[in-house]
Amino acid sequence: MSREITFGNYLQDKGLKGTQQRDEVADLFLKADRHFSVEELYRRVQKSDPRIGFSTVYRTLKLLVEAGLATERQFGDGFTRFEPVHREEHHDHLICIKCGKIVEFKDDRIEELQNGVAGKHNFRVTDHKLELYGYCNRCE
Amino acid sequence: MSREITFGNYLQDKGLKGTQQRDEVADLFLKADRHFSVEELYRRVQKSDPRIGFSTVYRTLKLLVEAGLATERQFGDGFTRFEPVHREEHHDHLICIKCGKIVEFKDDRIEELQNGVAGKHNFRVTDHKLELYGYCNRCE
DNA sequence: GTTGATTTTGAATTTCATTTTCACTATAAT
DNA sequence: ATTATAGTGAAAATGAAATTCAAAATCAAC
Ligand SMILES: [Mn+2]
Ligand SMILES: [Mn+2]
Ligand SMILES: [Zn+2]
Ligand SMILES: [Zn+2]
């Protein structure tokens, strides 16, 4: 029976300190189900504790990524986004270029074909990115 | 019989001026078959004419994109890359995260499945990005 | 070929997301 | 409580990309 993967445990295992700021940022981030930009999360954090700085939000998000509790994404709008890893399933994204709506999907047949392509070119694939950009039904 | 799409024609059609710098930058870019960072193209341009500036390389690349003669790519290393549009075929990329080798591929079955996914979520897809990251056979 | 309005150039500056610095503070082991 | 160590946040630095502006180049009209 292995220990639950929590932010607190991660910090302890790494010899890092638990702080109010880290807890606050991590809580607000993890309990939401969104693709946050740093700015967005910072604004939310400010509401519950205006003394927490931008740097700490940045730093905590990086720690969450290291802990495997967050994923970093680039959707091409110039802002890095982070999403909580709720289920540990890989997924890809459909992105509305008008309203920013993000839909997640996973298609095993696509993933399989990707592996086929990689194999044909003698690559060992460690990661991939599939993003479909367009207009959602509300924006169309 | 329609006029050939050249950079010169594009500039004329838009009422823009043809300059030595634009010609030089466009020539060096278009005759290579590479995914250039601006820095890389700038270095190549410097060799043939050291008086051409960085800004002009940037500006010319954007013009080439507008003219449909170049495509802008983000491979996640922090540098925007541009590739000449030789044939007007869409393609995706396999990228070695060790040596930077880039292999192009196109898989119609993947594209088809992508359309299926988009349709299921009532999106009209205008663009997509599929990148496979890993190790090429030399780096493995 | 000269003119002259207009565009382009390139060095320098600015922008803006992100990272780093550093004096101060908080944490946690002893 | 003491103390070593790590964290905080305001401010400064960074770096890729965009923009500024005085000087230079282009080109259509003379
Ligand atoms: Mn997601
Ligand atoms: Mn390519
Ligand atoms: Zn939309
Ligand atoms: Zn390689």
Side-chain angles (χ1 to χ4, degrees):
Chain A
M1 176 195 285
S2 74
R3 199 148 154 234
E4 193 193 356
I5 301 152
T6 66
F7 192 39
N9 289 345
Y10 176 79
L11 293 174
Q12 244 182 325
D13 291 352
K14 291 281 176 181
L16 303 173
K17 290 177 180 172
T19 69
Q20 290 179 18
Q21 291 93 325
R22 284 177 174 170
D23 287 350
E24 187 69 25
V25 173
D27 280 355
L28 288 172
F29 174 72
L30 293 171
K31 81 183 183 195
D33 193 7
R34 299 199 39 193
H35 299 78
F36 277 110
S37 69
V38 184
E39 174 74 34
E40 285 164 355
L41 181 57
Y42 175 65
R43 279 203 296 269
R44 184 162 297 196
V45 166
Q46 281 285 293
K47 280 183 201 156
S48 80
D49 188 347
R51 288 170 310 175
I52 295 179
F54 216 90
S55 315
T56 297
V57 176
Y58 259 107
R59 287 188 279 232
T60 306
L61 282 169
K62 303 225 116 181
L63 285 173
L64 286 161
V65 171
E66 283 168 36
L69 297 168
T71 312
E72 198 173 335
R73 306 270 185 195
Q74 300 284 349
F75 291 146
D77 61 353
F79 298 88
T80 300
R81 285 169 185 282
F82 295 84
E83 67 170 314
V85 176
H86 282 131
R87 43 200 168 293
E88 55 205 292
E89 283 267 324
H90 158 79
H91 61 261
D92 295 303
H93 297 91
L94 261 161
I95 298 144
C96 177
I97 56 181
K98 183 117 180 263
C99 70
K101 180 179 178 186
I102 296 170
V103 174
E104 304 183 337
F105 71 89
K106 181 166 190 312
D107 190 308
D108 289 326
R109 293 163 304 170
I110 292 179
E111 310 267 328
E112 229 173 277
L113 289 169
Q114 286 176 9
N115 289 334
V117 169
K120 199 185 320 183
H121 292 92
N122 295 112
F123 266 68
R124 181 169 62 84
V125 170
T126 55
D127 194 16
H128 73 262
K129 175 185 274 196
L130 173 57
E131 284 149 21
L132 310 180
Y133 298 92
Y135 296 92
C136 73
N137 56 343
R138 298 175 64 114
C139 291
E140 180 59 316
Chain B
M1 177 193 284
S2 74
R3 199 150 155 233
E4 193 193 356
I5 301 152
T6 66
F7 192 40
N9 289 346
Y10 176 78
L11 294 175
Q12 244 181 324
D13 290 352
K14 291 281 175 177
L16 303 173
K17 291 176 179 172
T19 68
Q20 290 177 19
Q21 290 92 325
R22 285 178 174 170
D23 287 350
E24 186 69 23
V25 173
D27 280 355
L28 288 173
F29 174 72
L30 293 171
K31 82 182 183 198
D33 193 7
R34 299 200 39 193
H35 298 78
F36 277 110
S37 70
V38 184
E39 174 72 34
E40 285 165 355
L41 182 57
Y42 174 65
R43 280 203 295 271
R44 184 162 297 195
V45 165
Q46 282 285 293
K47 280 183 200 156
S48 81
D49 187 346
R51 289 169 310 175
I52 295 179
F54 212 89
S55 314
T56 298
V57 176
Y58 257 110
R59 287 189 279 232
T60 305
L61 282 169
K62 303 226 116 180
L63 285 173
L64 285 162
V65 171
E66 284 169 35
L69 297 169
T71 312
E72 198 172 337
R73 306 271 186 192
Q74 301 284 349
F75 291 147
D77 62 352
F79 297 88
T80 300
R81 284 168 184 281
F82 294 85
E83 67 169 314
V85 176
H86 283 130
R87 44 201 165 291
E88 55 204 291
E89 283 266 325
H90 159 80
H91 61 261
D92 294 302
H93 297 91
L94 260 162
I95 298 144
C96 176
I97 56 181
K98 182 117 180 261
C99 71
K101 181 179 179 185
I102 295 169
V103 174
E104 303 182 338
F105 70 90
K106 182 166 190 313
D107 190 308
D108 290 326
R109 294 162 304 170
I110 292 180
E111 311 267 327
E112 230 173 275
L113 290 169
Q114 285 176 10
N115 289 335
V117 168
K120 199 185 322 183
H121 291 92
N122 295 110
F123 266 67
R124 181 169 62 84
V125 169
T126 55
D127 193 17
H128 73 261
K129 173 185 274 198
L130 173 57
E131 284 149 21
L132 310 180
Y133 297 93
Y135 296 93
C136 72
N137 56 344
R138 297 175 65 113
C139 291
E140 180 59 317

